[in-house]
Amino acid sequence: MKMFEHKNIVKLLGVCTKGEPAFAVMELMIHGDLKNFLLARRQFANQDCKEAEDVTPIKLTSMTVDIIGGLGYLAKMKFVHRDLALRNCMVGSGYVVKLGDFGMARAMYDSDYYRFGRKGMLPVRWMSPESLADGVFTIKSDVWSLGVTLWELATFGSFPYQGFSNGEVVEIVKQGRIMDKPQGCTSELNTLLTECWRKDPLHRPDPDKILELLSAHPAMVTACLDSPMSSVATDEDCVEPGDIRRGSVRTWRGTPSPSLKRFSHSNTAYSRPD
C-alpha cells in the first residue's frame, strides 16, 4: 500500500513491527466505514431535515464517484482489490470516500488476472461468476463487486442476496442470475448495475466509462429504502475457496443482528488467501 497515492485511497502512514502482532498505521477516516455511515442516516433519507443533507442524491452520487475513482486508480496501478464492498469504503472529513482494507489486494503485473490458490475466507456475495468458478480476479471482477457495492449504497446497507444461503448465492451467480435492482432506483443506475453484472467480464464497463456516466448524471444514485430494517442489520458471510470448488459451500445465512455490529462470529477471523 505504501506506493498508493490517490485522494480516494486510504493512506498508509507507517507500520509497527515491534512485537506481535504487527500494526499498520492508517490515516484517520473520521466518519468510519460507509455502511455504518449510511445505516446511521437511513431514517433521514428522503426527509425534509438538516440531517438529510448528508445523503441527498447528489451526495450519494459524489460518494459513488469517489469509490470508482479509487477503483480506477488501482486498475491503472495494475492492482485488483478483490474485496470491494460498502464496509471497505471509508468516509473521511468532508465526506470524501476512500477505498480501504487491502488485505486481499494483489498486483497483476505481467498478467491481467489474479488466481487464488490457498485457503481463506472469501466474500462470495460480492464475487463475480469467474471468481467463484475459477478463482480468477481481474479489474472486471472488481467491477462486478462494484455493482454489488452500489446496490448496497442505494439501499443504505441492505444485505446482498438476503434470505439465501452462501451455497445458494454461489449457484445463483454461477448460473448467470443477478439480484433485483433497488426498487425505485433511477433508470441510469438500473442500466449501470446491469452492465456491471454482465456474465462475460469483457462486456462489463471500465471504471473510466462509469465515471463518464456519473459525470453526465450527478444525481443518479438515490435512496431506495423499500427494504425493511431486518434486511439491513445483517452479518457478512464468507466461505473458503476449497468449499466453492468442491460444491460444499457452508450454508450460513445472513441473519438480523440487533447490535448492528460490523462483524459476527462467522467472520471475525476474516482471513485472506494469498
Side-chain angles (χ1 to χ4, degrees):
M1 285 187 64
K2 65 180 180 180
M3 69 180 70
F4 296 157
E5 189 69 48
H6 190 270
K7 64 180 182 179
N8 299 124
I9 299 292
V10 176
K11 182 68 176 175
L12 173 65
L13 300 178
V15 177
C16 178
T17 58
K18 185 177 181 180
E20 293 290 340
F23 291 94
V25 182
M26 316 295 295
E27 69 171 302
L28 174 64
M29 302 302 290
I30 193 167
H31 295 294
D33 68 88
L34 185 52
K35 179 168 184 174
N36 280 303
F37 177 89
L38 292 177
L39 285 173
R41 292 159 178 78
R42 195 173 197 267
Q43 61 184 313
F44 304 121
N46 300 326
Q47 301 297 315
D48 184 15
C49 60
K50 181 175 177 57
E51 291 81 1
E53 295 176 2
D54 294 343
V55 288
T56 63
I58 289 178
K59 289 286 183 65
L60 295 175
T61 305
S62 177
M63 292 175 176
T64 301
V65 169
D66 287 345
I67 294 170
I68 299 169
L71 186 62
Y73 172 78
L74 291 180
K76 290 181 174 64
M77 293 290 288
K78 289 290 185 180
F79 271 78
V80 286
H81 190 284
R82 300 201 305 158
D83 196 11
L84 183 60
L86 207 64
R87 62 183 176 273
N88 292 332
C89 299
M90 310 304 294
V91 186
S93 60
Y95 301 127
V96 173
V97 176
K98 304 186 181 188
L99 301 189
D101 197 344
F102 291 90
M104 288 180 64
R106 293 294 183 272
M108 291 182 291
Y109 297 117
D110 295 333
S111 63
D112 63 350
Y113 68 89
Y114 178 86
R115 187 186 303 271
F116 68 73
R118 299 185 183 179
K119 281 191 174 182
M121 304 304 288
L122 294 172
V124 297
R125 294 169 190 266
W126 287 262
M127 289 170 62
S128 66
E130 67 274 14
S131 298
L132 290 172
D134 304 314
V136 173
F137 293 83
T138 68
I139 181 57
K140 294 305 180 83
S141 61
D142 273 351
V143 168
W144 176 286
S145 301
L146 171 67
V148 181
T149 302
L150 296 187
W151 183 93
E152 289 184 278
L153 194 156
T155 60
F156 276 56
S158 291
F159 191 57
Y161 306 97
Q162 176 71 19
F164 292 97
S165 70
N166 284 332
E168 289 168 338
V169 171
V170 169
E171 292 307 312
I172 286 170
V173 174
K174 288 167 69 174
Q175 291 167 12
R177 296 156 59 193
I178 61 175
M179 285 190 292
D180 291 336
K181 312 302 172 33
Q183 189 169 349
C185 73
T186 63
S187 60
E188 293 82 11
L189 180 59
N190 189 310
T191 300
L192 175 57
L193 294 181
T194 298
E195 294 300 310
C196 289
W197 293 334
R198 296 287 185 191
K199 188 169 185 180
D200 186 340
L202 297 178
H203 294 162
R204 297 173 204 152
D206 294 321
D208 288 345
K209 292 294 183 182
I210 301 175
L211 282 176
E212 290 178 9
L213 174 64
L214 290 164
S215 297
H217 303 280
M220 188 176 83
V221 183
T222 59
C224 304
L225 305 179
D226 287 335
S227 300
M229 278 302 296
S230 62
S231 71
V232 175
T234 51
D235 302 327
E236 283 79 35
D237 288 353
C238 305
V239 302
E240 297 183 4
D243 290 337
I244 295 175
R245 295 195 190 99
R246 291 190 298 270
S248 59
V249 179
R250 300 177 186 180
T251 57
W252 298 327
R253 289 181 182 270
T255 54
S257 172
S259 62
L260 292 183
K261 291 182 179 178
R262 178 178 166 188
F263 294 109
S264 70
H265 63 85
S266 64
N267 69 346
T268 300
Y270 190 105
S271 58
R272 319 289 185 176
D274 293 326

